[in-house]
Amino acid sequence: MLKVVHYINQFFANVGGEEMAHIPAELREGNVGPGLAFQQAFGDEAQIVATIVCGDSYFNENMEEAQKTIINMVKELQPDLFIAGPAFNAGRYGVACGTIAKAVKDQLNIPVLIGMYKENPGADMFKTSLYVVSTKNSAAGMRDAVKKMAPLALKLAKGEKIGASSEEGYMPNGIRKNFFDTERGSKRAVKMLLNKLVDKEFETEFPMPDFDRVAPNPAVKDITKAKIALVTSGGIVPKGNPDHIESSSASKYGKYDIDGVMDLTEATYETAHGGYDPVYANLDPDRVLPVDILREFEKQGKIGSLHRYFYTTVGNGTAVKSAKAFAAKFAQELKADGVDAVILTST
Amino acid sequence: MCTIVPISLTVGANRIVPTIAIPHPLGNPSLTLEEERDIRRNLVGRALRALETEVTEQTVFEK
Amino acid sequence: MKLELGYIFIKDIQFAETSKVENGTLYVNKEEVKALILEDQNFKSADVELAKPGESVRIMPVKDVIEPRVKVEGPGGIFPGMVSKVETVGSGKTNVLKGAAVVTTGKIVGFQEGIIDMTGPGAEYTPFSQLNNLVLVCEPIDSLKQHEHEKALRFAGYKVAMYLGELAKNMTPDQVDTFETPTLVEGIKMYPELPRVAYVCMLQSQGLMHDTYVYGVDAKQTISTLIYPTEMMDGAIVSGNCVSACDKNTTYHHLNNPVVHDLFAEHGKTLNFVGVIITNENVYLADKERSSNWSAKLAEYLGVDGVIVSEEGFGNPDTDLIMNCKKIENKGIKTVLITDEYAGRDGTSQSLADADVRANAVVTGGNANEVIELPPMDKIIGHVEVADVIAGGFDGSLHADGSITAELQVITGATNEMGFNKLSAR
């Protein structure tokens, strides 16, 4: 049988309200307060072996001390799962649940689950690092909370595959996961539109992303002395695509020597990109990566020099995160090679 | 250097030179090779000018 | 405009001496179909295979899927401007072999072709695993250029689909569904209290290998325009594109456009479905601006309260999607967008290439980067060796035992952006 340790505050342990919020962490055997409902939901699959009760003020005012004590208690018990809350809309309780659960997860490598109301400050703090089940805003929602938390808790304890947030009931954590909805997309779109038309609440399936910003670099002082590198997401590669860069969702980039190459031709280069009509780029790859003109400028002294290597990948269905990782890596090389400026071409 | 300027603006590029078309950003297959090179020369020249220009915010070098 | 769609339900497909439809079985004379394909001298050989639901069969690389239909009454023929004369279609009666499809395969044309598994985990992601498929394996002559190859295959598919459709011309359908779009004025009089809704259907038109045709015209040479939804049911819009298999709209999708069907289902009840605006996704920025200006202008002109916008493909078309959204919302018209996602194999990346705060109502067809394991199949129709190079595949996708590890992208229709499937993501 799976072993579970449950964390709750003084209020849910029936110790008292605000006046008892100062009590330090204590360990009790078996389930306490809401633990009973969890125990019933677990049936004989899991057992709450102990409950840790701690005052909300104590935890938040003595965070380091409290964490150390509780971590030691959990370490002794070696449970298969650590569950905290649900905290509903109690702010300090929510933060305590998140903080201690994260510590247990990080330090003891034990699966954890917490639950709270979406506007609890603890929700924003922890929803991307922990599974946080969305509950109602008061203890009246306990039954509903247990109904959502118990099955997910068992899955976590057993190390089973966790589905999408909307299936499992946890708050969206920024990790997109596929699942089969009950209706097809077009039907969901019609329903969403009908709600939007009458200003009824609707939930977008994909909240718009935030793109990061970087401060512009200072201008190049004298371009006629500058070493310029070429980088492209247009997939230009030596003929035959020697590194097998994928036509879509690239997992890598290529670095190719163009020492002495004056012009990219149909015979020597091509595109590996699967997202645009390749005919034009294959006939004359300079249409994507302008080596010919930069060589001309180099000869005329309009630039200092063209860097010996170009960097290339396929920007087709390639995750922003992958692209960022590629650039972070080769930017270091460019810097080390004394490159002053980069021309980046995209298709 | 990109054709779909709105994407470059959305993703946060700071010096942007608009180009011809997605499959041939720095060329135009309907022209002669020499005319194409003129276009490319002009666009790369504009990119160099962009690199030499101080900017404080996202800037599109239309000319 | 009013169209009656007569469904003849097909539950099985078999080869036979004579092509015919009898008791829910589609019988096909293989030699006649082969001869039809080989009329085109661009093909050096052709083979015809069957793939039924539940069979251990993998079809790849798939270019297009087409549903056999035939005009029974009313002007024009199926695929007007492409195969039939350029007559306005969408009225009268059309018979459909529901449950059957023509699938085209053969030597790969471009990276962007897909996989249909008839059983196993892959089958859950493609609607075409549920159909009785006639698979055309067409091998081109050696010197054939990519875009001529694509065109030849496209027409082979239409011709065979029409050949099969003809078999149902004089049959009594098992079920008849009627779809009618009144004129704008009549519609407003009929449903004065209902919100007016249009559908903005974005058509992939990025180039020689990424095109959609409307009455035979390449959509990239068009400006946003209006079309009756029933015209689409008669094949006024066909797919010629090779964008990633998962989110290309095959000809089958255009014939059975789910947004059209689901809006018709609510028409006269909760909304007034006034019609469809079609717009393209071109490679020039000026075209993108112009086309989205026009779709917004047409939505305004139709006096609609809301629109559903469906995308095709990903990457730069995300900009067309966002432009359509912004410009239509700026007219005071509410939008819901249907797209899919490229959130990386681990799902942690930003999913779209473009974004805007006004895009606050989005339906997703799922993360196309998610990795899937496709077990070996007993039979392969087509060429399995392209698994490593098609969009969504990578070095080592194809294993020695015939199983494939690849991104969902490789599966035809998996993350369809018309909302054809139940797949979603959070």
Side-chain angles (χ1 to χ4, degrees):
Chain A
M1 194 185 288
L2 297 161
K3 284 199 296 185
V4 179
V5 171
H6 190 197
Y7 174 93
I8 57 174
N9 71 357
Q10 83 287 348
F11 176 77
F12 284 96
N14 267 324
V15 173
E18 198 55 37
E19 76 288 355
M20 296 303 284
H22 63 278
I23 62 155
E26 59 177 74
L27 189 68
R28 300 203 198 165
E29 216 173 291
N31 65 70
V32 178
L36 180 63
F38 278 112
Q39 188 56 63
Q40 283 165 351
F42 291 152
D44 49 15
E45 287 199 74
Q47 191 185 3
I48 298 179
V49 292
T51 304
I52 296 164
V53 179
C54 183
D56 285 335
S57 298
Y58 179 82
F59 188 95
N60 283 284
E61 284 160 17
N62 306 280
M63 221 172 241
E64 249 175 68
E65 188 61 35
Q67 280 192 63
K68 220 188 265 168
T69 316
I70 297 168
I71 286 287
N72 282 331
M73 291 173 177
V74 179
K75 204 172 174 181
E76 279 295 294
L77 294 159
Q78 283 298 321
D80 302 293
L81 179 82
F82 181 81
I83 189 164
F88 305 104
N89 204 17
R92 280 172 307 161
Y93 186 23
V95 173
C97 286
T99 309
I100 193 59
K102 188 158 189 313
V104 168
K105 181 180 166 222
D106 294 349
Q107 295 175 36
L108 304 178
N109 207 16
I110 290 169
V112 301
L113 180 67
I114 62 175
M116 66 188 75
Y117 181 56
K118 62 179 187 222
E119 284 174 22
N120 190 314
D124 272 349
M125 286 169 70
F126 295 102
K127 68 183 179 192
T128 55
S129 49
L130 304 174
Y131 287 113
V132 185
V133 168
S134 179
T135 72
K136 297 197 169 134
N137 64 357
S138 77
M142 185 62 84
R143 257 180 57 180
D144 171 73
V146 171
K147 212 169 104 194
K148 284 159 108 180
M149 287 175 79
L152 180 55
L154 287 175
K155 274 192 176 183
L156 284 165
K158 291 180 200 160
E160 284 176 9
K161 201 173 158 229
I162 305 299
S165 56
S166 56
E167 291 175 291
E168 307 281 6
Y170 62 88
M171 294 179 191
N173 56 2
I175 300 172
R176 304 295 291 172
K177 259 205 154 101
N178 289 340
F179 71 102
F180 289 100
D181 211 328
T182 51
E183 281 174 322
R184 65 179 182 178
S186 51
K187 188 101 197 173
R188 307 198 304 265
V190 171
K191 280 190 170 171
M192 200 184 283
L193 183 62
L194 286 170
N195 282 332
K196 191 171 171 180
L197 281 169
V198 294
D199 294 321
K200 261 206 233 164
E201 208 182 318
F202 63 89
E203 200 178 331
T204 186
E205 296 178 7
F206 176 67
M208 283 290 117
D210 290 322
F211 289 92
D212 59 350
R213 290 285 176 271
V214 288
N217 271 337
V220 176
K221 292 261 154 34
D222 184 356
I223 204 88
T224 65
K225 300 277 190 308
K227 189 199 258 192
I228 310 243
L230 277 172
V231 175
T232 188
S233 60
I236 301 298
V237 289
K239 193 102 181 171
N241 189 12
D243 294 313
H244 305 284
I245 298 177
E246 294 86 345
S247 62
S248 180
S249 191
S251 68
K252 53 196 154 193
Y253 63 87
K255 174 188 183 181
Y256 301 109
D257 190 344
I258 42 168
D259 191 29
V261 176
M262 304 309 282
D263 188 14
L264 305 184
T265 67
E266 192 181 0
T268 49
Y269 290 87
E270 66 181 5
T271 182
H273 200 293
Y276 63 85
D277 180 358
V279 172
Y280 313 111
N282 285 342
L283 281 174
D284 183 359
D286 293 296
R287 285 168 172 158
V288 175
L289 197 74
V291 170
D292 59 344
I293 299 296
L294 282 160
R295 284 294 180 214
E296 190 181 297
F297 284 2
E298 190 179 37
K299 214 187 272 170
Q300 294 164 346
K302 287 186 180 166
I303 60 169
S305 64
L306 175 60
H307 184 47
R308 177 168 178 169
Y309 302 95
F310 76 88
Y311 292 83
T312 180
T313 191
V314 164
N316 177 38
T318 299
V320 177
K321 208 172 165 185
S322 308
K324 229 172 157 171
F326 301 161
K329 208 165 154 211
F330 66 67
Q332 296 306 322
E333 288 184 19
L334 288 168
K335 267 167 88 176
D337 287 344
V339 170
D340 299 296
V342 172
I343 293 179
L344 204 149
T345 66
S346 74
T347 48
Chain B
M1 307 190 76
C2 70
T3 304
I4 307 308
V5 175
I7 292 188
S8 294
L9 288 169
T10 303
V11 302
N14 287 318
R15 291 179 175 86
I16 301 168
V17 175
T19 55
I20 311 293
I22 290 165
H24 45 84
L26 292 145
N28 185 345
S30 62
L31 303 175
T32 66
L33 274 184
E34 212 21 66
E35 286 171 325
E36 260 196 291
R37 285 175 76 93
D38 279 341
I39 291 186
R40 188 146 63 243
R41 207 170 277 126
N42 181 294
L43 286 168
V44 176
R46 206 188 296 170
L48 296 180
R49 200 150 35 73
L51 287 168
E52 283 185 305
T53 309
E54 286 300 347
V55 300
T56 53
E57 57 186 14
Q58 290 189 294
T59 308
V60 181
F61 292 83
E62 296 279 0
K63 275 192 182 121
Chain C
M1 186 175 275
K2 181 174 158 185
L3 180 70
E4 286 180 25
L5 276 191
Y7 298 130
I8 291 131
F9 295 117
I10 300 298
K11 295 174 200 81
D12 193 14
I13 185 167
Q14 289 177 23
F15 287 126
E17 285 286 311
T18 315
S19 294
K20 63 182 174 190
V21 177
E22 218 172 70
N23 296 328
T25 298
L26 172 59
Y27 296 94
V28 182
N29 178 315
K30 196 174 183 173
E31 294 310 315
E32 278 180 34
V33 172
K34 267 195 206 173
L36 210 55
I37 299 167
L38 292 173
E39 276 176 6
D40 189 335
Q41 293 180 350
N42 286 317
F43 293 119
K44 66 176 178 197
S45 71
D47 202 359
V48 182
E49 302 252 21
L50 303 178
K52 306 181 200 182
E55 288 181 338
S56 180
V57 170
R58 168 166 299 145
I59 316 168
M60 73 182 287
V62 171
K63 295 107 183 32
D64 199 9
V65 184
I66 308 157
E67 185 173 56
R69 296 189 171 205
V70 64
K71 262 338 270 173
V72 176
E73 259 181 52
I78 301 299
F79 307 132
M82 295 300 284
V83 187
S84 301
K85 288 214 171 96
V86 62
E87 193 73 72
T88 298
V89 292
S91 61
K93 290 182 181 174
T94 297
N95 276 356
V96 183
L97 293 182
K98 190 54 59 195
V102 172
V103 176
T104 47
T105 184
K107 183 182 174 230
I108 189 166
V109 180
F111 298 121
Q112 309 90 345
E113 294 169 23
I115 299 174
I116 297 174
D117 277 359
M118 298 305 291
T119 190
E124 290 175 34
Y125 290 94
T126 176
F128 307 121
S129 63
Q130 305 306 311
L131 304 178
N132 293 287
N133 295 310
L134 187 72
V135 188
L136 315 183
V137 189
C138 310
E139 300 302 348
I141 53 172
D142 295 337
S143 57
L144 200 60
K145 291 264 184 214
Q146 255 181 328
H147 47 273
E148 287 159 6
H149 180 190
E150 185 279 317
K151 185 178 176 187
L153 267 169
R154 181 153 36 92
F155 277 87
Y158 303 148
K159 278 200 295 195
V160 174
M162 290 180 75
Y163 164 85
L164 296 181
E166 280 297 324
L167 305 175
K169 183 152 186 166
N170 299 313
M171 291 185 69
T172 310
D174 299 313
Q175 183 187 319
V176 176
D177 283 358
T178 304
F179 303 93
E180 184 170 14
T181 304
T183 67
L184 196 59
V185 177
E186 283 168 357
I188 293 171
K189 279 188 199 150
M190 281 165 78
Y191 312 110
E193 75 292 357
L194 293 180
R196 283 182 299 282
V197 172
Y199 167 36
V200 178
C201 181
M202 292 171 52
L203 307 174
Q204 179 59 254
S205 58
Q206 277 180 255
L208 284 174
M209 312 275 296
H210 300 69
D211 286 312
T212 304
Y213 297 84
V214 182
Y215 279 98
V217 183
D218 185 344
K220 73 168 166 291
Q221 293 156 343
T222 64
I223 211 158
S224 308
T225 188
L226 296 171
I227 191 166
Y228 278 107
T230 50
E231 291 177 81
M232 299 162 102
M233 298 175 184
D234 275 346
I237 302 176
V238 296
S239 167
N241 68 55
C242 296
V243 284
S244 282
C246 65
D247 54 14
K248 83 161 79 184
N249 294 328
T250 65
T251 300
Y252 190 97
H253 288 111
H254 285 295
L255 289 166
N256 290 284
N257 191 310
V259 179
V260 163
H261 281 265
D262 289 341
L263 283 172
F264 263 129
E266 292 299 320
H267 179 59
K269 295 178 195 157
T270 58
L271 55 81
N272 173 8
F273 178 25
V274 302
V276 181
I277 297 166
I278 48 175
T279 184
N280 55 16
E281 302 172 355
N282 281 14
V283 294
Y284 290 83
L285 181 58
D287 288 350
K288 291 185 185 300
E289 292 285 3
R290 186 186 309 108
S291 291
S292 51
N293 289 345
W294 277 71
S295 50
K297 193 162 56 179
L298 288 171
E300 179 186 44
Y301 181 70
L302 290 174
V304 293
D305 302 297
V307 298
I308 291 174
V309 187
S310 70
E311 189 185 0
E312 181 171 12
F314 58 94
N316 80 77
D318 294 346
T319 289
D320 300 88
L321 180 74
I322 294 296
M323 282 183 182
N324 281 318
C325 168
K326 280 199 290 205
K327 292 175 186 181
I328 294 171
E329 286 275 344
N330 284 347
K331 303 271 185 197
I333 298 163
K334 292 181 170 155
T335 62
V336 170
L337 314 180
I338 312 177
T339 182
D340 65 351
E341 302 183 43
Y342 287 75
R345 290 179 194 165
D346 63 0
T348 61
S349 189
Q350 291 152 138
S351 298
L352 291 184
D354 207 351
D356 190 82
V357 286
R358 281 157 284 201
N360 63 359
V362 180
V363 167
T364 174
N367 177 17
N369 291 136
E370 207 166 278
V371 173
I372 182 167
E373 306 283 338
L374 303 173
M377 293 282 150
D378 294 344
K379 182 178 173 185
I380 304 288
I381 304 177
H383 303 276
V384 74
E385 66 279 3
V386 297
D388 287 8
V389 298
I390 54 175
F394 39 82
D395 248 3
S397 270
L398 179 63
H399 307 300
D401 66 351
S403 63
I404 293 172
T405 305
E407 295 185 8
L408 203 47
Q409 270 196 81
V410 299
I411 296 183
T412 302
T415 61
N416 179 270
E417 295 165 286
M418 286 173 169
F420 203 84
N421 310 328
K422 289 182 176 171
L423 192 68
S424 182
R426 288 291 190 287

